[in-house]
Amino acid sequence: MDVSTFEDLIDRLGDEPSQWPDDQRLAAEELLASSAEARALLEEARALRVALAAPPVRAPAGLADRIVAAARRLTGEPTASQPEQKIAEDAVERARPGKVLPALLLASLLLPALAASALLTAEPDSEAAVILPVT
């Protein structure tokens, strides 16, 4: 048995050669006696099994809050240090009825006009230029 066959057996049958079929187990034991590489592979497989069987690692308390606060600082959003009432008032002010609908209507009327004028003034070799089929 060579090391690559031994590694394949570990991958398929597990890290306990005593559970392998007799002919493969005997060849594996001979290889283990003579190959440091095979012994290292077996130890790595056992260490991996132990690591996967260990209880899950829990994040420290408050880690999610610290991550969100750091992200808000990077993006300029309000942080938890500001009063929550102020944040809630700002959100209500931004979403106040009477401001959203007119803005949407204005955008729906202006965007097609702006897009058309950009296409008409674009250079022929620019990305904004579009060749329309003649009908």
Side-chain angles (χ1 to χ4, degrees):
M1 177 179 293
D2 62 0
V3 174
S4 65
T5 304
F6 181 74
E7 184 175 19
D8 181 58
L9 287 171
I10 289 174
D11 290 343
R12 288 187 298 115
L13 302 175
D15 63 5
E16 190 53 55
S18 66
Q19 303 296 318
W20 298 359
D22 289 338
D23 59 333
Q24 294 171 334
R25 181 178 37 82
L26 294 174
E29 288 172 352
E30 290 174 9
L31 182 64
L32 283 169
S34 63
S35 172
E37 186 178 359
R39 289 189 297 273
L41 283 171
L42 187 60
E43 289 305 314
E44 287 174 11
R46 287 178 175 163
L48 178 61
R49 179 179 44 84
V50 168
L52 292 174
V57 177
R58 299 280 182 208
L63 178 62
D65 294 333
R66 292 194 311 261
I67 291 171
V68 169
R72 285 184 175 153
R73 282 193 304 272
L74 291 175
T75 61
E77 290 184 27
T79 62
S81 62
Q82 293 179 334
E84 290 183 15
Q85 181 64 30
K86 175 70 173 142
I87 295 170
E89 289 171 1
D90 289 346
V92 168
E93 180 64 27
R94 283 192 299 262
R96 188 176 303 271
K99 288 187 175 182
V100 175
L101 186 59
L104 288 175
L105 289 174
L106 184 62
S108 67
L109 294 173
L110 288 179
L111 285 177
L114 292 173
S117 67
L119 291 175
L120 292 175
T121 60
E123 295 295 324
D125 60 343
S126 74
E127 293 180 11
V130 175
I131 300 174
L132 298 174
V134 177
T135 57

